[in-house]
Amino acid sequence: HVEACRKSIESNRLPDARKELDAATKLHGKYRPVVEAADLLKKKQEEQGKKKEQLAQKLATAQQLARQGKLDEAIAVAGEAAKEDAALAAPVLAEIGLAARKSGWDALQKADYQTAIKRLEQAVKLNPADSDAVKKLSEAKNYGAQWSRIEAKAKEFDGFMAQKKVWSAHKAMLELQDILRPMAAGQSSANPVWKRVSDEMNKGIAWYNEFSQKSFAEWTRLFKAQEW
């Protein structure tokens, strides 16, 4: 029993070591090898207890970093803890994974597809079974694949607006809308591309209406004065 106890301690199978020690103690509790094995087990348990406390503190730090938005640091700290005790770190890694998913989706709402992809890839890696993160990652990658078309159409819109070609710009805006409509967060109010184009279009229409009214008023004046 004593030898089995020592081997269990060496391999960190402390519950098994306790069983063997209890059996040895019943047979000869004061036998020196039994006493030494008991001391060895106690020391090992204390070491593991301290280690658990250190890991718990490390995981608490990871949680705090995640709540501060420092996800890369949080993932690194929690990942180190997971190497030592995967089961203890699992709930924290899952929590950070959810934070990464939210961060990625928020980034996509703002058309920051690169950050979105990075965060959602982290979320999927931390929680492979998170189907929502997997879906959002696919949508973010699709957004990235369409980015060159979005940029080109927005540039075309800007060119027309610079030339005061409001209705040509409006046509480009509708074409941009067609690109964005089927995309996740494509027409989000937080999407800076769509928001800028929409705002500029509103300004352009306001200018056009004002210009038309002034032109009509001047035409009316000339007509009445027969100055043609």
Side-chain angles (χ1 to χ4, degrees), residues 16-216:
D16 292 340
R18 168 54 61 187
K19 290 178 182 178
E20 295 294 344
L21 180 61
D22 287 345
T25 301
K26 288 178 181 179
L27 294 173
H28 203 322
K30 294 183 180 181
Y31 183 47
R32 184 174 177 179
V34 175
V35 174
E36 290 175 347
D39 290 340
L40 185 62
L41 178 58
K42 181 181 178 182
K43 182 179 179 181
K44 192 68 173 181
Q45 287 173 325
E46 289 173 349
E47 288 176 357
Q48 283 207 347
K50 289 180 181 179
K51 187 177 179 181
K52 289 277 188 183
E53 289 177 9
Q54 291 171 348
L55 284 175
Q57 182 57 49
K58 185 177 287 188
L59 290 168
T61 298
Q63 287 177 306
Q64 185 176 9
L65 288 168
R67 289 163 188 167
Q68 292 172 350
K70 300 175 181 178
L71 290 172
D72 291 335
E73 295 175 50
I75 291 169
V77 173
E80 286 300 315
K83 291 176 183 177
E84 299 180 57
D85 193 327
L88 186 65
V92 176
L93 288 172
E95 180 183 327
I96 296 173
L98 293 176
R101 185 183 73 187
K102 182 180 183 303
S103 177
W105 189 244
D106 289 346
L108 191 60
Q109 296 288 321
K110 299 173 184 176
D112 183 359
Y113 69 89
Q114 292 175 322
T115 298
I117 291 172
K118 175 183 176 181
R119 293 298 180 216
L120 291 166
E121 283 180 340
Q122 290 172 329
V124 171
K125 185 175 180 180
L126 291 169
N127 293 325
D130 186 347
S131 58
D132 190 32
V134 172
K135 179 175 179 290
K136 284 178 166 59
L137 174 58
S138 175
E139 291 171 338
K141 288 182 176 180
N142 177 57
Y143 196 108
Q146 297 295 327
W147 183 246
S148 60
R149 292 181 65 207
I150 294 168
E151 279 191 314
K153 192 56 63 175
K155 186 177 180 180
E156 181 182 334
F157 169 87
D158 291 337
F160 286 133
M161 289 299 291
Q163 299 173 61
K164 300 294 185 182
K165 295 181 178 180
V166 176
W167 299 114
S168 293
H170 185 258
K171 179 175 179 292
M173 176 184 171
L174 294 178
E175 290 169 350
L176 175 61
Q177 186 179 46
D178 288 340
I179 298 171
L180 293 172
R181 186 183 293 113
M183 297 170 60
Q187 291 179 263
S188 163
S189 59
N191 185 321
V193 177
W194 180 246
K195 185 177 186 305
R196 181 180 65 76
V197 168
S198 297
D199 290 347
E200 289 299 317
M201 189 72 251
N202 289 335
K203 291 177 185 177
I205 291 175
W207 170 85
Y208 180 84
N209 288 338
E210 182 181 0
F211 173 78
S212 297
Q213 289 170 5
K214 287 181 178 178
S215 298
F216 183 75

Side-chain angles (χ1 to χ4, degrees), residues 213-225 227-228:
Q213 289 170 5
K214 287 181 178 178
S215 298
F216 183 75
E218 180 65 9
W219 180 85
T220 302
R221 184 189 69 78
L222 293 173
F223 181 82
K224 288 181 178 180
E227 295 181 14
W228 57 74

